[in-house]
């Protein structure tokens, strides 16, 4: 049989009747009317009605078949296949055409059915194509986009909690006061392009220099479509004047060793971009962004309080559905960037875009949007459900809650559980490291939400403190490509030093937030860390702490000097793991702490007792 049957236009075309018409005719005949009269009234051949009526008399359950080839599987089985395909797609595990054929073979082998048309019970390529054609109103083939399992683990409850926290902040606020920020990179590769070449060419090529380098840019936009000046970050140890010429109006420039934004750059971006925009606006403002801990510091929170800015965090791993700039703005921006880059590279022999050329290319990229940036930004805020406020825009992109506990007879329980475990992973997984802030998504960040909020500004930060306290804010408004932001050092009030040995029942009544403890994380061999209790999960049972590391950059090795790592180490531990309660250590410069007993001696003593 040909894959696509085309009838002969010169051949005899028989009259076609639907199954419903034939069934109606047989019902009339069974009521007592003659076959010829029904044939004459309904314009159906007498021989057809006679044959079907004879079959109905022999078998009362006989049903007319449709014209043409018949499907190999019953309609109920095909309907179940369609529902299972939709089920797998909703859960993030869509099947391919080959997997569909293998699933049919597996089903037929399990039920013990043999289909003569299928070789070894496995459908062929043509059956899969015709199956998709028969059910094209429900399913279709599309190119997929891969997402990480962490992003797939975003649930309806997380989104609902986020919008529950966000709703009070968006009440009675204009869209020009709702700001979203996000960081992206613009690569040096203009990408592939369709070209005209000789038919049959296997590997069409074009001459175009490119590298794997990229430049990071921080963008911010308001819900009314206003695009704030970009903040460009070069990968370099120094910044030169040629790298800051010809860029977009109001753009700021900085550099980092990694080429990505760090805590100091974020603070400067906040001072130079967000503060000038918010100063000229009256009332409360909202700043929405991801929950990276490097983006938030006590200095940023101070500025937020000063200028009435509510700093709101998005749910973790959900920026692909909740970040307005990520949803709508970055794709047309990068499309315009590739076009500008392609035109520039066509006439240049340089293998890469040098830093002195990047600002002018970025300006051309934004100009080439032809004013569409405002419409695209507003569309991003709308699709993310922020403005106008509509949580259903985000919830519709996730599997429905009723699919978690389905009672359908077609979809088996083991398929539902398999998809649930595959999408969300094991629920017992416990993270030992966290780089995110423990602030509910959709709520404004406050000073006491930060672990470093207890630290005081060192004397080296007088210039930065003057910036915070300057009512005229003259230094904030002055542009400077070589601005340096000094990080604060960690310092707290000193206390009595030493180690306290206590039994378990005494530990349960003495461990509170801010208590210093020695905790064992080793299973076979003890591995002890000194840390500070951040929160009490369950009094007398579970706690969460921030743990230090021994500092080796000291002259006197007899002293026990510890420091918090750059990436804060949050970890949960039980009361059984607590070895001792430590007295408050002596604070030193540069965020280091001095304990009375050496970590090694504590570990040796614990091994002896064990």
């Amino acid at each position: 049989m040909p894959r696509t049957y085309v009838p002969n236009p010169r051949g005899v075309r028989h009259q076609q009747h639907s199954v419903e018409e034939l069934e109606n005719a047989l019902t009339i005949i069974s009521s007592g009317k003659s076959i010829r009269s029904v044939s004459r009234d309904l314009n159906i051949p007498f021989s057809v009605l006679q044959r079907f009526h004879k079959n109905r008399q022999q078998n009362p359950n006989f049903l007319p078949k449709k014209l043409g080839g018949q499907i190999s599987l019953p309609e109920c089985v095909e309907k179940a296949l369609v529902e299972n395909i939709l089920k797998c797609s909703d859960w993030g595990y869509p099947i391919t055409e080959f997997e569909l054929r293998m699933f049919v073979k597996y089903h037929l082998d399990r039920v013990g059915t043999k289909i003569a048309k299928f070789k070894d019970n496995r459908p062929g390529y043509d059956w899969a194509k015709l199956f998709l054609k028969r059910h094209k109103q429900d399913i279709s083939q599309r190119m997929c986009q891969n997402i990480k399992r962490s992003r797939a683990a975003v649930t309806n409850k997380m989104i609902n909690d986020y919008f529950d926290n966000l709703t009070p902040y968006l009440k009675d606020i204009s869209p020009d006061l709702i700001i979203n920020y996000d960081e992206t990179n613009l690569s040096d590769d203009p990408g592939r392009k369709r070209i005209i070449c000789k038919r049959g060419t296997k590997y069409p090529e074009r001459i175009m220099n490119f590298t794997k380098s990229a430049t990071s840019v921080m963008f911010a936009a308001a819900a009314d479509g206003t695009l704030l000046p970009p903040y460009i970050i070069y990968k370099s140890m120094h910044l030169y004047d040629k790298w800051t010429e010809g860029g977009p109006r109001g753009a700021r420039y900085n550099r980092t060793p990694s080429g990505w934004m760090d805590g100091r750059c974020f603070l400067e971006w906040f001072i130079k971009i967000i503060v000038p925009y918010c100063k000229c606006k009256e009332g409360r403002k909202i700043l929405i962004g991801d929950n990276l801990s490097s983006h938030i510091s006590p200095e940023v929170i101070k500025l937020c309080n000063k200028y009435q800015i509510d700093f709101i965090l998005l749910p973790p791993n959900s920026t692909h559905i909740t970040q307005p700039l990520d949803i709508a703005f970055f794709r047309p921006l990068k499309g315009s960037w590739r076009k500008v880059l392609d035109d520039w590279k066509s006439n240049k022999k340089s293998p890469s875009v040098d830093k002195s050329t990047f600002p002018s290319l970025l300006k051309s990229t934004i100009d080439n949007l032809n004013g569409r940036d405002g419409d695209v930004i507003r569309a991003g805020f709308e699709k993310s459900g922020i403005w106008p406020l509509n949580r259903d825009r985000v919830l519709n992109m996730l599997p429905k809650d009723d699919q978690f506990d389905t009672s359908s007879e077609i979809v088996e329980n083991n398929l539902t559980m398999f998809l649930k475990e595959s999408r969300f992973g094991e629920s017992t997984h416990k993270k030992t490291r966290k780089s995110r802030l423990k602030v509910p998504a959709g709520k404004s960040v406050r000073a006491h939400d930060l672990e470093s909020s207890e630290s005081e500004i060192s004397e080296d930060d007088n210039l930065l403190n003057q910036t915070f306290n300057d009512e005229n804010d003259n230094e904030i408004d002055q542009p400077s490509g070589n601005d340096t932001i000094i990080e604060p050092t960690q310092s707290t009030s000193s206390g009595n030093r030493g180690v306290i040995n206590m039994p378990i029942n005494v530990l349960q009544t003495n461990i509170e937030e801010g208590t210093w403890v020695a905790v064992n994380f080793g299973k076979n061999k003890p591995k002890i860390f000194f840390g500070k209790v951040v929160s009490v999960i369950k009094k007398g049972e579970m706690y969460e702490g921030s743990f230090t590391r021994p500092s080796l950059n000291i002259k006197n090795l007899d002293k026990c000097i510890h420091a918090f790592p750059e990436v804060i180490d949050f970890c949960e531990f039980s009361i059984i793991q607590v070895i001792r309660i430590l007295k408050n250590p002596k604070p030193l410069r540069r965020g280091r702490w001095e304990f009375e007993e050496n970590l090694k001696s504590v570990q040796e003593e614990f091994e002896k007792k064990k």
Side-chain angles (χ1 to χ4, degrees), residues 91-93 147-159 315-318 320-321 398-399 404 419-426 431:
W91 281 88
Y93 287 88
I147 64 171
K148 296 181 180 179
R149 180 169 293 179
S150 59
R151 292 186 179 272
V154 177
T155 62
N156 292 19
K157 184 181 183 302
M158 293 172 58
I159 299 300
N317 303 310
S318 69
H320 61 296
I321 56 177
L398 298 175
F404 296 163
L419 293 174
K420 207 170 186 179
E421 294 176 0
S422 300
R423 184 177 179 90
F424 300 114
E426 296 182 2
K431 296 182 179 180

Side-chain angles (χ1 to χ4, degrees), residues 131-146:
F131 175 82
L132 295 174
K133 186 177 180 181
R134 284 193 298 272
H135 302 281
K136 61 182 179 181
Q137 70 277 7
D138 296 323
I139 55 178
S140 64
Q141 284 183 304
R142 298 285 301 275
M143 290 293 294
C144 68
Q145 180 179 357
N146 298 330

Side-chain angles (χ1 to χ4, degrees), residues 502 504-512 539-540 543 575 581:
M502 291 186 179
I504 292 295
N505 57 349
V506 180
L507 287 175
Q508 293 177 355
T509 59
N510 285 274
I511 296 182
E512 303 288 346
K539 182 71 173 178
Y543 302 89
I575 188 66
I581 292 181

Side-chain angles (χ1 to χ4, degrees), residues 261-430:
M261 179 166 286
D262 55 14
R264 293 189 302 173
C265 283
F266 187 85
L267 177 57
E268 186 191 355
W269 166 82
F270 192 89
I271 294 175
K272 303 299 182 180
I273 302 296
I274 299 300
V275 170
Y277 177 82
C278 294
K279 280 201 309 182
C280 59
K281 303 287 185 181
E282 295 182 357
R284 186 169 48 86
K285 279 77 66 174
I286 293 179
L287 182 65
I288 302 175
D290 50 33
N291 62 347
L292 288 177
S293 57
S294 61
H295 286 180
I296 305 175
S297 64
E299 290 73 32
V300 173
I301 303 304
K302 290 180 181 179
L303 288 174
C304 289
N305 295 334
K306 181 177 180 179
Y307 295 102
Q308 295 181 304
I309 301 174
D310 291 329
F311 204 129
I312 295 178
L313 305 179
L314 295 172
N317 303 310
S318 69
T319 55
H320 61 296
I321 56 177
T322 58
Q323 183 83 274
L325 292 179
D326 198 9
I327 292 174
F329 179 69
F330 285 157
R331 179 168 183 175
L333 175 75
K334 293 190 175 183
S336 177
W337 166 257
R338 286 191 291 268
K339 185 178 183 303
V340 170
L341 193 62
D342 185 86
D343 295 340
W344 183 82
K345 284 180 173 287
S346 298
N347 301 320
K348 300 292 180 181
K349 295 182 179 180
S350 176
S352 63
V353 177
D354 53 71
K355 295 179 176 62
S356 60
T357 309
F358 182 84
S360 60
L361 294 181
L362 179 60
K363 184 178 184 300
S364 301
T365 299
I366 297 176
D367 294 342
N368 283 354
L369 293 176
N370 298 325
R372 294 186 296 111
D373 52 343
D375 296 336
V376 172
I377 291 170
R378 285 189 290 270
F381 276 90
E382 181 183 356
K383 189 170 183 180
S384 62
I386 297 177
W387 186 266
L389 186 63
N390 183 9
R391 68 179 68 193
D392 292 335
R393 292 301 302 269
V394 181
L395 293 175
N396 290 336
M397 292 185 278
L398 298 175
K400 300 296 185 295
D401 289 335
D402 56 0
Q403 292 176 342
F404 296 163
D405 299 312
T406 178
S407 58
S408 174
E409 296 180 356
I410 300 173
V411 182
E412 298 179 356
N413 293 332
N414 57 356
L415 173 63
T416 302
M417 295 304 299
F418 169 76
L419 293 174
K420 207 170 186 179
E421 294 176 0
S422 300
R423 184 177 179 90
F424 300 114
E426 296 182 2
S427 58
T428 58
H429 177 68
K430 183 167 66 175

Side-chain angles (χ1 to χ4, degrees), residues 191-304:
R192 303 175 66 180
K193 198 174 184 179
R194 287 185 176 273
I195 61 173
I196 300 175
C197 59
K198 182 180 177 181
R199 179 180 290 276
T201 303
K202 282 190 174 181
Y203 306 104
E205 298 175 344
R206 66 166 179 164
I207 300 175
M208 180 66 66
N209 291 327
F210 70 94
T211 63
K212 295 182 179 179
S213 63
T215 303
S216 179
V217 184
M218 173 72 90
F219 286 95
D224 64 342
T226 303
L227 181 64
L228 276 64
Y231 188 86
I232 302 168
I233 306 167
Y234 297 114
K235 184 178 181 180
S236 175
M237 297 299 296
H238 305 283
L239 188 64
Y240 300 94
D241 55 351
K242 294 293 184 182
W243 299 357
T244 64
E245 298 176 354
R249 183 179 179 181
R252 308 291 303 186
Y253 306 87
N254 208 331
R255 77 285 181 196
T256 60
S258 64
W260 288 97
M261 179 166 286
D262 55 14
R264 293 189 302 173
C265 283
F266 187 85
L267 177 57
E268 186 191 355
W269 166 82
F270 192 89
I271 294 175
K272 303 299 182 180
I273 302 296
I274 299 300
V275 170
Y277 177 82
C278 294
K279 280 201 309 182
C280 59
K281 303 287 185 181
E282 295 182 357
R284 186 169 48 86
K285 279 77 66 174
I286 293 179
L287 182 65
I288 302 175
D290 50 33
N291 62 347
L292 288 177
S293 57
S294 61
H295 286 180
I296 305 175
S297 64
E299 290 73 32
V300 173
I301 303 304
K302 290 180 181 179
L303 288 174
C304 289

